[in-house]
Amino acid sequence: MSTQKRQLRLGAFLSTSGHHLASWRHPEAQADAGLNFQHYKRLAQTAERGKFDMIFFADGVAVRQRGQGGDVLSRNGKLVHFEPLTLLSALSVVTENIGLTATVSTTYNEPYHLARKFASLDYLSGGRAGWNLVTSATEAEALNFNRENHMEHTLRYERAREFVDVVTKLWDSWEDDAFLHDKESGIYFDPDKVHTPNHKGEHFSVRGPLNVARPIQGYPVIIQAGSSEDGKNLAAQTAEVIFTAQQTLAEAQAFYADVKGRLAQYGRSPDHLKIMPGVFPVIGKTEQEAKDKFHRIQELIDPVVGLNLLGTMIGGFDLSGYPLDGPVPDLPETNGGKSRQKLLIDLARRENLTIRELYLSIAGARGHRQILGTPEQIADQLEDWFVNDGADGFNIMPPLLPGSLDEFVDLVIPELQRRGLFRTEYEASTLRENLGLPRPVNQFTKVADRQVANV
Amino acid sequence: MSTQKRQLRLGAFLSTSGHHLASWRHPEAQADAGLNFQHYKRLAQTAERGKFDMIFFADGVAVRQRGQGGDVLSRNGKLVHFEPLTLLSALSVVTENIGLTATVSTTYNEPYHLARKFASLDYLSGGRAGWNLVTSATEAEALNFNRENHMEHTLRYERAREFVDVVTKLWDSWEDDAFLHDKESGIYFDPDKVHTPNHKGEHFSVRGPLNVARPIQGYPVIIQAGSSEDGKNLAAQTAEVIFTAQQTLAEAQAFYADVKGRLAQYGRSPDHLKIMPGVFPVIGKTEQEAKDKFHRIQELIDPVVGLNLLGTMIGGFDLSGYPLDGPVPDLPETNGGKSRQKLLIDLARRENLTIRELYLSIAGARGHRQILGTPEQIADQLEDWFVNDGADGFNIMPPLLPGSLDEFVDLVIPELQRRGLFRTEYEASTLRENLGLPRPVNQFTKVADRQVANV
């Protein structure tokens, strides 16, 4: 195995009827996808057939575009959907190897609940859980949790750092070999191998221990997506996977070098953080077929929806007063997702796009990289970034579900496998092992015990 | 169907290796049951084979007996287990008809999260979710959620009442027929049929709407277990099932009449709240075999565990200073579960029990009713309470799992069916319909619409 090429990591980003904004209107779309378990079961099993490392669910704790008028809102097919931890738990039963990952916010949750749910999912799935840590970026979420407005960016990240600290302490409450189950003596566990974290910090006071054993993976895999300075530092300190949005190889390389370069100061190896940009693939037998496919789905975007999407993505501005076919105006910085606003404005300036052109250009991939082409062309693009230090793998965001995922698994995966870039079988039973990540040492295990264990 | 006898309701209370305190030590026990999905899958499928209305998981957000010395703690086989919403979600995939219910506290949760998780489970399961509302009764939970001590009893119930109000508003965010999925026009839902609760109260400020559609059942079935005055009033106002602990028919009848009598003031029918006392059955081919079985498992209780259990159940008192074979001392009232303390002290006084006898008498059923006997004798006892206004059904708490549940399904259920007291097939696909409960009307639906719908 040591002579094997470095392997691509792949995540399947599964969003209702597809990542494209108008996907639900497509003739082949599952229009009620968000609350249809059979739909998600089929997707998860397809991704597993393709040997994806993991499936991934984005999430938020609000109707995301609340506050828009009914005319915009009523055209949105993504507002209602399963809560991801319940959905992943159900999917754990109908899959065997694929990682099960989802977004949960540190701003509107308590560490005890979060540590417990992911530990529980890790046991249900035999070690396949992963947590995408976000700090949330919308005021709509604040208003559902007793707050008047969204917590300020820096404060959110301070809370997130402490949150991870508490959660990992809770996951370490029980040592791996704490449970004896000794029916004869009546001793269920070794009391020296349970630890009470007794955390008292700035944001949290949490005694513990957790009422779930240490997760099978030690810790579920920790994923992050922030690209701000705070986000990159938090990721360098705590994340094992980063989902990121990068448009060009040069940008991707800069981001890759930047984040990997931050790991040493936390005593971490660059190999132990996998950087996976989002990719929105439109696959055709020919390049023209791919373009035609894309055009057909773009035509399904109502202008009122496109304009609203753009306004939301650049930080909550109402752009309806500006001419649709005029330039994108200069905008002040916001408290929301800073990095995403900058990304979009840069794109408009670089390609000299009008407001309409900008919303059309992002409505598909929404800030992520679009690749239109044949399976070989798509594989070429992925390989290019992968071998040139732009990515360790990709988070694949199929435009239409289930169709575009089927195509990726049936056409692109075999091409990647032929090139020796991607597995043909799972290497192991846990997500952590499949990703090639080390199992964390329990922070409460005595150093003497660890040395003995290492002998 | 209208000439059919009134039918018993049955819940299966599934607790790790069984409800008996020492169950995990039994030779046939699944010692690692708490985190073993295959174990729970077998239990849920067995209960469904027996046509139980529902399975039920108790829960708490702490290691329950934290603060005890290692000698006691290390003998407890129930400290680590799955988080129940993730477990129920997984079980929804391997069952088809049985209700899926669990405890979640209103004291250490937010209404938006809770409404969302249960709505999600309701969609995963096709309308089989139920929520057992508790206000929590242990300081250990407070210490895991930024609090110095447990919230006072009356305040907990005030919060619980408002919590239910917010949760039902969130479940009503979308009308049942809100979603159009009209691909042609691009209209996904009717904007007049989504409502923003905008709740501002004493304990919660929650804008909404929920990002899950209205649950299949309207609301998941609401269960409660409190027996204090506050608990009974909250149940009369909001609950559809009560799990309760009653030792004698006279007590059960008094509780039944009391709670059912409170419904009218909330405009509710007595039929719309099902009262289900807990029953701990030990089943033998003969009465003697049942007694021998019980004796064998009682012998597995270590005295240090029994004493600690008793101390916890009467409100956190340390009884180790009192003689084991002496009388139970008088104790001051606590802020914890008032009704349980009274129940136990009454039992000791009534039967003149020593401390040791009291802990042995409760270690099995822990405050619930023990019935030892043949399948016929057990059916007689259940029928007696059922036909004499002591119960609408029972929450069956098998001493050993999976064995005691298998016996109940194979031996007692057929006897109940022969007597015409229990279903031989599920009547419907939702828990609410199987229990014979009405589907709640959406509180935001315009009265005019309702009248049209009723014509």
Side-chain angles (χ1 to χ4, degrees):
Chain A
M1 293 293 281
S2 58
T3 59
Q4 195 191 25
K5 271 194 203 174
R6 173 171 159 255
Q7 297 286 291
L8 265 175
R9 310 299 169 186
L10 292 179
F13 180 95
L14 304 180
S15 168
T16 64
S17 51
H19 187 59
H20 193 282
L21 194 64
S23 57
W24 75 268
R25 295 186 66 189
H26 195 275
E28 291 164 20
Q30 182 73 44
D32 69 348
L35 290 168
N36 182 326
F37 178 66
Q38 294 305 318
H39 172 73
Y40 282 107
K41 175 180 170 181
R42 184 184 190 291
L43 298 181
Q45 292 181 336
T46 302
E48 185 164 80
R49 180 163 61 79
K51 315 299 176 197
F52 271 81
D53 289 273
M54 61 191 122
I55 59 173
F56 176 83
F57 295 125
D59 194 49
V61 279
V63 165
R64 293 197 184 186
Q65 302 194 1
R66 197 197 56 69
Q68 302 297 340
D71 194 37
V72 178
L73 202 66
S74 68
R75 294 167 190 277
N76 192 319
K78 295 181 178 295
L79 298 185
V80 300
H81 49 81
F82 288 114
E83 184 279 331
L85 266 287
T86 47
L87 177 56
L88 288 177
S89 299
L91 292 173
S92 74
V93 180
V94 296
T95 54
E96 287 180 8
N97 290 286
I98 198 162
L100 304 168
T101 76
T103 296
V104 181
S105 166
T106 53
T107 302
Y108 302 112
N109 276 283
E110 291 291 330
Y112 199 91
H113 287 312
L114 185 137
R116 201 176 169 223
K117 285 188 291 190
F118 276 99
S120 194
L121 177 62
D122 211 47
Y123 275 94
L124 286 171
S125 63
R128 297 186 282 135
W131 167 35
N132 181 39
L133 183 168
V134 302
T135 66
S136 298
T138 70
E139 186 140 306
E141 293 174 274
L143 297 173
N144 288 335
F145 292 90
N146 293 339
R147 296 182 64 93
E148 291 296 316
N149 41 48
H150 198 44
M151 200 182 284
E152 189 272 320
H153 192 272
T154 305
L155 194 63
R156 289 208 307 275
Y157 275 90
E158 281 176 23
R159 179 181 161 106
R161 245 183 305 275
E162 189 180 333
F163 197 110
V164 174
D165 183 31
V166 180
V167 164
T168 55
K169 284 174 180 168
L170 289 169
W171 284 331
D172 284 336
S173 298
W174 302 85
E175 295 188 29
D176 291 316
D177 58 352
F179 292 92
L180 308 171
H181 307 133
D182 184 350
K183 292 183 177 185
E184 196 51 47
S185 68
I187 305 295
Y188 197 75
F189 62 86
D190 179 346
D192 292 337
K193 295 192 173 177
V194 53
H195 305 282
T196 300
N198 213 2
H199 176 93
K200 285 191 198 301
E202 195 68 34
H203 296 87
F204 301 107
S205 169
V206 179
R207 195 172 198 292
L210 195 64
N211 57 359
V212 183
R214 191 163 195 251
I216 292 174
Q217 299 182 96
Y219 307 158
V221 171
I222 298 178
I223 305 166
Q224 274 167 59
S227 296
S228 65
E229 275 301 301
D230 283 338
K232 284 187 283 198
N233 283 329
L234 181 62
Q237 189 177 353
T238 63
E240 300 173 286
V241 171
I242 295 188
F243 289 156
T244 176
Q246 305 294 337
Q247 289 290 341
T248 67
L249 177 56
E251 283 169 7
Q253 286 168 327
F255 180 82
Y256 189 95
D258 177 0
V259 173
K260 296 263 182 180
R262 293 174 198 234
L263 290 166
Q265 66 186 287
Y266 300 105
R268 301 182 65 202
S269 154
D271 265 4
H272 296 164
L273 174 58
K274 308 297 180 187
I275 297 182
M276 299 171 64
V279 165
F280 175 93
V282 183
I283 305 165
K285 285 197 214 59
T286 62
E287 193 175 330
Q288 190 57 47
E289 187 184 283
K291 286 179 178 168
D292 291 346
K293 256 190 194 175
F294 186 57
H295 181 68
R296 275 197 301 280
I297 188 164
Q298 290 282 81
E299 282 182 327
L300 299 173
I301 302 172
D302 192 295
V304 76
V305 174
L307 197 60
N308 174 59
L309 167 79
L310 181 58
T312 303
M313 290 190 75
I314 58 177
F317 291 100
D318 180 4
L319 294 169
S320 60
Y322 297 90
L324 259 186
D325 295 310
V328 178
D330 285 322
L331 297 165
E333 209 177 57
T334 68
N335 184 31
K338 287 183 191 180
S339 47
R340 197 164 55 175
Q341 184 193 59
K342 181 170 181 313
L343 205 79
L344 291 173
I345 302 293
D346 287 354
L347 174 67
R349 298 278 176 271
R350 191 168 64 240
E351 306 197 3
N352 197 27
L353 303 179
T354 64
I355 289 178
R356 189 199 302 273
E357 286 164 343
L358 183 60
Y359 85 59
L360 273 176
S361 79
I362 61 166
R366 294 204 282 299
H368 290 275
R369 181 180 171 219
Q370 289 177 181
I371 313 181
L372 280 62
T374 65
E376 294 71 24
Q377 288 175 319
I378 290 172
D380 286 347
Q381 292 286 312
L382 301 184
E383 184 170 5
D384 185 36
W385 283 34
F386 179 58
V387 301
N388 290 302
D389 291 337
D392 294 314
F394 301 93
N395 199 17
I396 303 300
M397 310 172 91
L400 285 177
L401 290 168
S404 313
L405 181 65
D406 291 344
E407 290 168 353
F408 194 90
V409 166
D410 293 333
L411 303 172
V412 180
I413 295 269
E415 181 60 28
L416 294 171
Q417 289 169 333
R418 268 192 292 277
R419 299 180 187 196
L421 295 171
F422 192 61
R423 69 166 66 84
T424 54
E425 272 310 326
Y426 286 101
E427 297 83 13
S429 63
T430 71
L431 173 58
R432 180 171 290 285
E433 288 170 290
N434 280 318
L435 287 171
L437 295 168
R439 191 170 187 282
V441 173
N442 189 321
Q443 63 197 286
F444 298 123
T445 304
K446 288 192 200 104
V447 175
D449 294 348
R450 283 191 225 164
Q451 286 169 339
V452 171
N454 289 340
V455 166
Chain B
M1 293 294 280
S2 59
T3 60
Q4 195 191 26
K5 271 194 203 175
R6 173 172 159 254
Q7 297 286 292
L8 266 175
R9 311 299 171 188
L10 291 179
F13 180 95
L14 305 181
S15 169
T16 63
S17 52
H19 187 59
H20 193 281
L21 195 64
S23 56
W24 75 268
R25 295 186 66 188
H26 195 275
E28 292 164 20
Q30 183 72 44
D32 68 348
L35 291 167
N36 182 326
F37 178 66
Q38 293 306 318
H39 173 73
Y40 283 108
K41 175 180 170 180
R42 183 184 190 290
L43 299 180
Q45 291 181 335
T46 302
E48 185 163 80
R49 179 163 63 79
K51 315 298 176 197
F52 271 81
D53 289 273
M54 63 190 118
I55 60 173
F56 175 84
F57 295 126
D59 193 50
V61 280
V63 166
R64 292 194 183 189
Q65 302 194 1
R66 197 197 56 70
Q68 302 296 340
D71 194 37
V72 179
L73 203 66
S74 67
R75 293 166 189 276
N76 192 321
K78 295 180 178 294
L79 298 185
V80 300
H81 50 81
F82 288 114
E83 184 278 331
L85 267 286
T86 47
L87 177 56
L88 288 177
S89 299
L91 291 173
S92 75
V93 179
V94 295
T95 54
E96 289 182 5
N97 289 285
I98 199 162
L100 304 169
T101 76
T103 296
V104 180
S105 167
T106 53
T107 302
Y108 302 113
N109 277 283
E110 292 290 329
Y112 199 91
H113 287 311
L114 184 137
R116 200 176 169 224
K117 285 189 290 190
F118 276 99
S120 193
L121 176 62
D122 210 46
Y123 275 94
L124 286 171
S125 63
R128 297 187 282 135
W131 167 35
N132 181 39
L133 183 168
V134 302
T135 67
S136 298
T138 71
E139 187 140 304
E141 294 174 272
L143 297 173
N144 288 334
F145 292 89
N146 294 338
R147 296 182 64 93
E148 290 296 316
N149 41 47
H150 197 44
M151 199 182 287
E152 189 273 321
H153 192 271
T154 304
L155 195 62
R156 289 209 307 276
Y157 276 91
E158 279 175 24
R159 179 181 160 106
R161 244 184 305 275
E162 189 180 333
F163 197 110
V164 174
D165 182 32
V166 180
V167 164
T168 55
K169 284 173 180 167
L170 289 168
W171 284 330
D172 285 336
S173 298
W174 303 85
E175 295 189 29
D176 292 315
D177 58 352
F179 292 92
L180 307 172
H181 306 135
D182 183 351
K183 292 183 177 185
E184 195 51 47
S185 68
I187 307 294
Y188 196 75
F189 61 86
D190 178 347
D192 292 338
K193 294 192 173 176
V194 54
H195 305 280
T196 301
N198 212 2
H199 176 94
K200 285 190 197 300
E202 194 67 34
H203 297 88
F204 301 107
S205 169
V206 179
R207 197 173 197 291
L210 195 65
N211 58 359
V212 183
R214 192 164 195 250
I216 292 173
Q217 299 182 96
Y219 307 159
V221 171
I222 298 178
I223 304 166
Q224 276 168 56
S227 296
S228 66
E229 276 301 301
D230 282 338
K232 284 187 285 197
N233 283 329
L234 181 62
Q237 189 178 352
T238 63
E240 299 173 287
V241 171
I242 294 189
F243 288 156
T244 176
Q246 304 294 336
Q247 289 289 341
T248 67
L249 176 56
E251 282 169 8
Q253 288 170 324
F255 181 82
Y256 189 94
D258 177 0
V259 173
K260 295 264 182 177
R262 293 174 197 234
L263 290 166
Q265 65 187 286
Y266 299 106
R268 300 183 65 202
S269 154
D271 264 5
H272 296 164
L273 174 58
K274 309 297 181 187
I275 297 182
M276 299 172 64
V279 165
F280 176 93
V282 183
I283 306 165
K285 284 198 212 62
T286 62
E287 193 175 329
Q288 191 55 47
E289 187 185 282
K291 286 179 178 166
D292 291 346
K293 257 190 192 174
F294 186 57
H295 181 68
R296 274 197 302 280
I297 188 164
Q298 290 282 80
E299 282 182 328
L300 298 173
I301 302 172
D302 192 295
V304 77
V305 174
L307 198 60
N308 174 59
L309 167 77
L310 181 58
T312 303
M313 290 190 76
I314 57 177
F317 291 99
D318 180 5
L319 293 168
S320 61
Y322 297 89
L324 259 187
D325 295 308
V328 179
D330 286 321
L331 296 166
E333 211 176 56
T334 66
N335 185 30
K338 287 184 189 178
S339 48
R340 198 165 56 176
Q341 184 194 60
K342 182 171 182 311
L343 204 80
L344 291 173
I345 301 294
D346 288 354
L347 174 67
R349 297 281 175 269
R350 192 169 62 240
E351 305 197 2
N352 198 27
L353 303 178
T354 64
I355 288 178
R356 189 199 302 271
E357 287 164 342
L358 183 60
Y359 85 60
L360 274 176
S361 78
I362 61 165
R366 294 205 282 300
H368 289 276
R369 182 178 170 218
Q370 289 177 182
I371 312 180
L372 280 62
T374 64
E376 293 73 25
Q377 288 175 318
I378 290 171
D380 287 346
Q381 291 287 311
L382 301 184
E383 184 169 5
D384 185 36
W385 284 34
F386 179 58
V387 301
N388 289 303
D389 292 337
D392 294 314
F394 301 93
N395 199 17
I396 304 301
M397 310 172 92
L400 286 177
L401 290 168
S404 313
L405 181 65
D406 292 344
E407 290 168 351
F408 194 89
V409 166
D410 293 333
L411 303 173
V412 181
I413 296 269
E415 181 60 29
L416 295 171
Q417 289 169 331
R418 269 192 290 279
R419 298 178 189 198
L421 296 171
F422 192 60
R423 70 166 65 84
T424 53
E425 273 310 325
Y426 287 101
E427 297 82 13
S429 64
T430 71
L431 173 58
R432 180 171 289 285
E433 289 170 289
N434 280 320
L435 288 171
L437 296 168
R439 192 170 187 281
V441 172
N442 189 320
Q443 63 195 289
F444 298 123
T445 304
K446 288 194 200 104
V447 174
D449 293 348
R450 281 191 226 165
Q451 286 169 339
V452 171
N454 287 339
V455 166

